Amino acid sequence: MATSAVPAAIDALLSLLGDAPGLSTVRVVDGPPGPNFTQKDLLYVGYAPGSDMAAEMQQRFASAGARRRDEDASLSCYIESRRGDTNIRDRRRHVFEILAVVETALRATNEDPTAPNLGGAVLWSDLTAGSLMQAQTESGALAGLAFTVHFRARI
């Protein structure tokens, strides 16, 4: 019996985003950045700048008898876009375009009514919060968007 759904949820989210239409030019990264990334668009799962926290979870008994537990967890994620120019407007718009693909992948549809359950790893998941960061760096305009994917699981 698993003590947490967090590892399976992260794996499932990475798989879902790796296969998502619209993210073919975005590098989906598991965890914090490594050295020398030259990719212009990055999507991190289990990382947000300024924090070492990949996920946060809370559990409680699901019912009398203490046989099952409900788990609520939040996964830290981050989108970054750069091109080497000074056009911050385009970078800002682009990180929100990438976020829209993520949100769509987590949304149930008539064709895929179970999409929010991350392949059965959780009961449901959704995108819940975000923070935009913009900067002009030595290598040009940069936009970053930290966001949270929340889920509930029964373990």
Side-chain angles (χ1 to χ4, degrees):
M1 178 184 326
T3 191
S4 174
V6 169
I10 290 173
D11 291 346
L13 183 58
L14 285 163
S15 178
L16 180 70
L17 297 178
D19 296 338
L23 294 181
S24 61
T25 61
V26 177
R27 182 175 179 178
V28 178
V29 180
D30 183 357
N36 301 322
F37 281 165
T38 57
Q39 186 81 23
K40 296 180 181 194
D41 296 319
L42 296 155
L43 170 55
Y44 298 95
V45 175
Y47 167 77
S51 173
D52 292 330
M53 184 142 356
E56 196 170 0
M57 62 183 212
Q58 296 179 348
Q59 295 182 0
R60 66 195 146 283
F61 288 116
S63 61
R67 294 172 192 243
R68 304 293 306 259
R69 294 179 66 79
D70 284 334
E71 179 176 58
D72 286 301
S74 297
L75 307 177
S76 298
C77 300
Y78 179 67
I79 301 165
E80 185 174 278
S81 182
R82 63 179 79 225
R83 290 293 181 280
D85 59 20
T86 58
N87 189 334
I88 197 73
R89 176 180 181 259
D90 286 351
R91 295 306 94 232
R92 178 178 55 245
R93 287 181 175 206
H94 192 59
V95 294
F96 277 95
E97 289 168 357
I98 294 169
L99 183 68
V101 174
V102 173
E103 199 278 331
T104 298
L106 292 174
R107 185 180 290 180
T109 64
N110 288 338
E111 296 79 31
D112 190 6
T114 63
N117 74 7
L118 299 176
V122 301
L123 296 173
W124 54 262
S125 64
D126 63 344
L127 195 144
T128 58
S131 299
L132 176 67
M133 183 275 298
Q134 303 178 131
Q136 291 290 351
T137 70
E138 291 178 6
S139 57
L142 166 87
L145 184 59
F147 65 96
T148 302
V149 173
H150 177 260
F151 73 79
R152 171 159 297 157
R154 173 82 35 98
I155 54 175

